[in-house]
C-alpha cells in the first residue's frame, strides 16, 4: 500500500498556464521530497521540505509543506513545455528507505 | 551525473524463465535500491541494500530476490518471470542518512511474454 497519494494523476495544460499538484497522506512526515522524471530517464530531486508550513521556490516552481506535515503541494507558474514530465513526491523512512507517491504526469502543450 | 549503470537496458523474456538485472555504481554509496515503475503507481520499492550482503524487502518483494556481494553491484533476480513483472525497473543509490537524496539509473524495460 502506497502511503502517498498524488493528484491529479494526469494533467494537460497550455503553455503559460498555472497549475498545482498535490501529495497527500494520513501519516506525519519528518520531511518530504519532490522529484521530476523526464521521459526515458530516472527521477531527479527538485527539493526537500522539512518544516511544517515551509515554502521553497525554485524559479517558477513553488513547493509547500503542510502545517501538519501530512501533505505537500507543487505550484508551477507560467508552465513551459520543458516542465513536461512525471512529478513524484517521496518520503524517506528510517534506514534511508525512499517511498514514492503515485505520481502526476504533466504535459505542457506549446 | 551519479555513476549508475543498469544492464541490460531492454529485455524481452518468456514466462517462467529466470532473469537477472544488474546495477553498477561508481560512487561508493552505501545504500542501493531496486524499484519498479508502472502507470498509476509511481515508483514502488522492491528491495534495498544497506551494505554488502545486507538487504531487506520493500513494498513489492514477492517474486524477486537480490544480492549484493560488492559495494558497487546490486543484482535483482526474477526466479521465474511472470507477465505481471513486465515493467520498467530502476536502480537507485544514496549515501548519508538524514536529508539525503536518491540518485537513479536510466532504467531497464523488461517485457515478459
Amino acid at each position: 500500500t502506497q502511503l502517498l497519494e498524488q493528484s491529479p494523476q494526469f494533467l494537460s495544460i497550455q503553455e503559460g498556464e498555472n497549475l498545482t499538484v498535490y501529495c497527500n497522506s494520513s501519516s506525519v512526515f519528518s520531511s518530504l521530497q519532490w522529484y521530476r522524471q523526464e521521459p526515458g530517464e530516472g527521477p531527479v530531486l527538485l527539493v526537500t521540505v522539512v518544516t511544517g508550513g515551509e515554502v521553497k521556490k525554485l524559479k517558477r516552481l513553488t513547493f509547500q509543506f503542510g502545517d501538519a506535515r501530512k501533505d505537500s503541494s507543487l505550484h508551477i507558474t507560467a508552465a513551459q513545455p520543458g516542465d513536461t514530465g512525471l512529478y513524484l513526491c517521496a518520503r524517506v523512512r528510517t534506514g534511508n528507505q525512499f517511498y514514492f507517491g503515485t505520481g502526476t504526469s504533466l504535459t505542457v502543450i506549446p | 551525473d551519479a555513476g549508475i549503470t543498469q544492464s541490460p537496458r531492454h529485455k524481452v523474456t518468456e514466462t517462467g524463465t529466470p532473469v537477472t538485472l544488474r546495477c553498477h555504481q561508481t560512487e561508493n554509496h552505501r545504500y542501493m535500491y531496486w524499484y519498479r515503475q508502472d502507470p498509476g503507481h509511481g515508483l514502488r520499492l522492491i528491495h534495498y541494500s544497506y551494505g554488502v550482503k545486507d538487504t531487506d524487502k520493500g513494498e513489492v518483494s514477492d517474486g524477486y530476490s537480490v544480492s549484493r556481494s560488492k559495494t558497487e553491484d546490486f543484482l535483482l533476480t526474477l526466479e521465474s518471470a511472470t507477465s505481471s513483472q513486465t515493467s520498467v525497473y530502476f536502480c537507485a543509490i544514496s549515501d548519508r542518512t538524514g536529508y539525503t537524496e536518491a540518485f537513479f539509473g536510466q532504467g531497464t524495460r523488461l517485457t515478459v511474454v
Side-chain angles (χ1 to χ4, degrees):
Chain A
T1 302
Q2 288 182 279
L3 300 177
L4 295 171
E5 293 290 333
Q6 293 186 240
S7 61
Q9 184 177 353
F10 299 99
L11 189 56
S12 180
I13 63 170
Q14 295 289 329
E15 181 176 359
E17 293 183 349
N18 301 333
L19 66 114
T20 302
V21 299
Y22 301 91
C23 174
N24 294 291
S25 174
S26 57
S27 303
V28 175
F29 304 134
S30 59
S31 66
L32 192 128
Q33 299 183 326
W34 284 93
Y35 290 75
R36 179 169 64 205
Q37 182 180 16
E38 298 184 5
E41 302 291 331
V44 175
L45 180 68
L46 295 173
V47 75
T48 301
V49 286
V50 301
T51 305
E54 180 177 5
V55 176
K56 281 192 174 179
K57 293 191 175 184
L58 185 64
K59 296 183 181 178
R60 295 175 293 99
L61 279 60
T62 302
F63 304 86
Q64 184 163 7
F65 202 13
D67 291 341
R69 291 185 287 124
K70 291 183 177 182
D71 54 85
S72 181
S73 63
L74 160 58
H75 182 80
I76 301 179
T77 303
Q80 299 178 0
D83 296 326
T84 292
L86 180 67
Y87 289 82
L88 294 157
C89 61
R91 62 170 296 200
V92 185
R93 291 180 60 181
T94 302
N96 240 44
Q97 302 171 54
F98 293 80
Y99 283 84
F100 287 81
T102 49
T104 293
S105 179
L106 171 66
T107 302
V108 182
I109 303 166
Chain B
D1 291 343
I4 307 168
T5 304
Q6 291 186 229
S7 59
R9 293 292 313 281
H10 302 271
K11 186 170 183 66
V12 179
T13 192
E14 293 186 348
T15 298
T17 60
V19 176
T20 296
L21 308 183
R22 180 178 182 243
C23 178
H24 178 78
Q25 61 147 329
T26 59
E27 305 296 320
N28 201 35
H29 281 7
R30 176 182 176 188
Y31 299 90
M32 298 187 75
Y33 313 83
W34 277 107
Y35 290 89
R36 62 177 291 173
Q37 185 168 44
D38 306 287
H41 291 280
L43 284 165
R44 291 182 290 176
L45 181 64
I46 304 171
H47 281 281
Y48 67 99
S49 171
Y50 46 96
V52 174
K53 299 190 187 301
D54 292 323
T55 65
D56 208 345
K57 297 178 180 180
E59 303 168 88
V60 289
S61 59
D62 288 349
Y64 302 95
S65 63
V66 290
S67 65
R68 191 171 178 196
S69 59
K70 297 185 291 184
T71 298
E72 58 266 36
D73 291 326
F74 194 31
L75 304 180
L76 176 70
T77 298
L78 290 65
E79 300 292 345
S80 178
T82 68
S83 58
S84 65
Q85 293 176 311
T86 292
S87 187
V88 180
Y89 291 85
F90 283 95
C91 173
I93 64 174
S94 72
D95 198 3
R96 62 179 176 85
T97 55
Y99 303 131
T100 184
E101 174 180 356
F103 299 94
F104 284 83
Q106 291 193 298
T108 294
R109 182 173 294 277
L110 176 67
T111 302
V112 183
V113 298

